Amino acid sequence: ASYRHALEIKPDLADAHLNLGLTLKNLGRMVEAEASYRRALEFDPDFEMAHYNLGNTLSDLGRLEEAEASYRHALEIKPDFADAHLNLGVTLKNMGCLEEAEASYRRALQIKPDYVEALNNLASLYYVQGSLVIALNTIRQSLQINESEEAKSVFVICVKQLRLTHDDSEIRAIMVRALTEPWAHPAALARVGIEMLRLNPGIEVCIARTTSAWPLRLSLLDLFGTNGLAIFAADPLMCALLISAPICGIEMEHFLTMARWSMLDTATRMTFSAGEIGTDLRFFSALARQ
């Protein structure tokens, strides 16, 4: 009502038409919002914010080609308009123009290197294209700047599809948080979590011993060797997986069964002091909670 009063007094006030349009859009009255933006442009054809917001409304209405044109008009007037580059990229992606969308996201990042929304959208685009490693590296950049819910969601989507060939301490650390906070249902991350664990040679050799001996039972020393148990106990990802998610995979399940048997067999035959158990208790506790 206030904007309309202002326009009764000064009908050519482009800012009032723009702000009326924004208000109408927030009220869900998209067609009226479009009309207000177009009215603003009648009085000020070089009003980049009116072109930009018209593009947003047209995009919401599903009129993607018109939205693209509006964003490009805004960028002709203001080439360093990062938000317009971002939303142009979103529109182009929705139109199936993936290479052009990538170029728009990258231009937004050239203007604003810490633009997390552009990083999130770029990572999602790489995921759609099947470039999972690049997508994961991109979303890691976003998480370093701001751990938004969108960035966490994109990380989970990317990492679930990844087939890892080498260990990565940074991804491991993020995975621990994704499992324990959690960023998604922990069971969705169990497979990739186990793959990460098995990239640790000390852990993989214990699993191999189990597979070779199964169904015979191994003692704690035979199963873990002289320092294998300490490796498990000191691995935050192992404990996070055991506590948070059901373990999948027959070899890992055999290993955990063997570890339970060995732990209980040792416990029934020996007396431990707290100091002797040390950090092993962390692994035993996580195993019990699994």
Side-chain angles (χ1 to χ4, degrees):
S2 291
Y3 291 132
R4 291 193 191 281
H5 283 311
L7 290 167
E8 287 174 5
I9 300 165
K10 189 173 174 61
D12 63 348
L13 186 55
D15 283 341
H17 285 290
L18 172 71
N19 290 343
L20 175 59
L22 289 168
T23 301
L24 290 165
K25 183 176 185 293
N26 290 335
L27 289 167
R29 293 155 63 179
M30 298 296 184
V31 174
E32 293 175 79
E34 177 190 352
S36 289
Y37 298 139
R38 292 193 184 280
R39 190 74 172 138
L41 289 167
E42 288 178 16
F43 295 111
D44 186 355
D46 292 332
F47 196 177
E48 75 277 2
M49 288 303 298
H51 285 294
Y52 169 73
N53 282 287
L54 177 59
N56 292 341
T57 298
L58 292 168
S59 180
D60 289 343
L61 289 168
R63 292 153 60 185
L64 300 183
E65 291 183 0
E66 293 177 74
E68 178 192 357
S70 290
Y71 292 132
R72 292 195 187 281
H73 281 310
L75 290 167
E76 287 172 6
I77 299 161
K78 187 179 180 182
D80 62 347
F81 194 170
D83 288 349
H85 284 290
L86 172 70
N87 287 3
L88 174 59
V90 172
T91 300
L92 290 166
K93 179 187 175 187
N94 291 336
M95 294 171 65
C97 305
L98 301 188
E99 290 185 5
E100 292 179 74
E102 179 183 350
S104 289
Y105 295 145
R106 288 195 172 280
R107 181 66 183 128
L109 287 165
Q110 286 175 353
I111 298 163
K112 188 178 176 182
D114 61 349
Y115 199 175
V116 293
E117 289 82 1
L119 286 167
N120 295 343
N121 279 281
L122 187 58
S124 296
L125 180 64
Y126 287 137
Y127 172 80
V128 169
Q129 293 174 318
S131 302
L132 293 178
V133 174
I134 301 175
L136 194 60
N137 288 334
T138 303
I139 205 61
R140 284 161 66 176
Q141 293 178 48
S142 179
L143 287 166
Q144 287 170 358
I145 299 166
N146 179 27
E147 291 188 352
S148 66
E149 293 305 313
E150 182 183 5
K152 292 176 182 179
S153 177
V154 174
F155 172 82
V156 169
I157 290 169
C158 292
V159 82
K160 282 197 306 183
Q161 302 300 322
L162 199 62
R163 297 290 175 177
L164 296 165
T165 57
H166 65 279
D167 204 359
D168 186 311
S169 59
E170 186 180 345
I171 294 181
R172 271 174 161 263
I174 299 172
M175 274 288 293
V176 171
R177 296 188 54 208
L179 283 162
T180 55
E181 289 186 5
W183 294 2
H185 196 294
L189 297 170
R191 179 200 59 79
V192 69
I194 291 170
E195 286 186 4
M196 287 182 187
L197 283 175
R198 297 191 66 167
L199 291 171
N200 182 328
I203 290 176
E204 179 60 17
V205 72
C206 294
I207 296 172
R209 287 180 189 133
T210 302
T211 302
S212 297
W214 192 265
L216 298 176
R217 300 291 191 251
L218 297 176
S219 69
L220 208 61
L221 181 60
D222 290 337
L223 176 59
F224 289 103
T226 55
N227 60 0
L229 184 53
I231 293 174
F232 277 89
D235 193 312
L237 180 58
M238 169 58 83
C239 293
L241 273 169
L242 291 176
I243 291 168
S244 304
I247 296 298
C248 55
I250 191 63
E251 290 184 344
M252 180 62 77
E253 185 56 46
H254 281 168
F255 163 75
L256 294 177
T257 300
M258 187 83 77
R260 289 186 190 96
W261 184 90
S262 300
M263 177 184 71
L264 293 170
D265 177 63
T266 301
T268 57
R269 291 187 291 101
M270 300 178 66
T271 302
F272 291 101
S273 68
E276 290 171 328
I277 294 175
T279 58
D280 298 349
L281 185 59
R282 185 186 312 164
F283 173 66
F284 291 149
S285 298
L287 184 58
R289 293 177 68 180
Q290 165 68 200

